[in-house]
Amino acid sequence: QVQLVESGGGLVQAGGSLRLSCAASGRTLSSYAMGWFRQAPGKEREFVTAIHWSGVNTYYADSVKGRFTISRDNAKNTVYLQMNSLKPEDTAVYYCATSQVWSSRDYTSRGEIYDYWGQGTQVTVSS
């Protein structure tokens, strides 16, 4: 049974930072790509970022590029999302997910290629 557990969410003022973690059990993450997605109230889920199983290649949504950084520690079976210069529009529930597929940015950003998902962690950015 694969479980992904996100943590690190919370309330922060605009311009602040948060670091999300996604810890996995039941699956060794080193063989899988990892992605972060988010869903704001009343909006569709959207891709945020993804990282190749090697940790070398990454993709980012244009809205977070230069502010967010994804990283992974395969020894700890954990993926991180460092979020800096947060904006109110970053407010959402953030989910991590695993994928056996790595391809172009457009393809890797599709939620349907991810097979396991965490329960999500709330990030709220106040203005």
Side-chain angles (χ1 to χ4, degrees):
Q1 182 75 13
V2 178
Q3 278 195 318
L4 302 176
V5 179
E6 301 96 335
S7 61
L11 174 64
V12 64
Q13 288 188 331
S17 298
L18 282 175
R19 189 194 195 203
L20 305 184
S21 299
C22 173
S25 61
R27 168 174 281 186
T28 301
L29 293 185
S30 59
S31 300
Y32 298 90
M34 294 296 298
W36 285 96
F37 291 76
R38 66 187 182 187
Q39 188 166 21
K43 295 187 177 181
E44 292 188 353
R45 181 184 64 196
E46 66 173 354
F47 170 78
V48 177
T49 180
I51 188 167
H52 189 265
W53 39 82
S54 68
V56 173
N57 301 103
T58 58
Y59 295 129
Y60 292 93
D62 290 342
S63 58
V64 306
K65 199 174 295 182
R67 299 188 298 121
F68 290 13
T69 303
I70 189 172
S71 62
R72 65 192 301 161
D73 186 337
N74 288 337
K76 294 183 178 181
N77 229 25
T78 301
V79 176
Y80 304 98
L81 180 61
Q82 178 66 44
M83 305 186 294
N84 299 328
S85 302
L86 282 161
K87 305 175 181 180
E89 51 264 44
D90 294 318
T91 295
V93 177
Y94 283 71
Y95 300 90
C96 66
T98 69
S99 174
Q100 299 179 62
V101 175
W102 183 266
S103 184
S104 66
R105 179 182 176 278
D106 284 347
Y107 192 79
T108 304
S109 67
R110 299 179 187 179
E112 56 264 37
I113 72 167
Y114 291 81
D115 50 3
Y116 289 97
W117 294 76
Q119 83 291 346
T121 185
Q122 176 71 46
V123 171
T124 304
V125 184
S126 63
S127 57

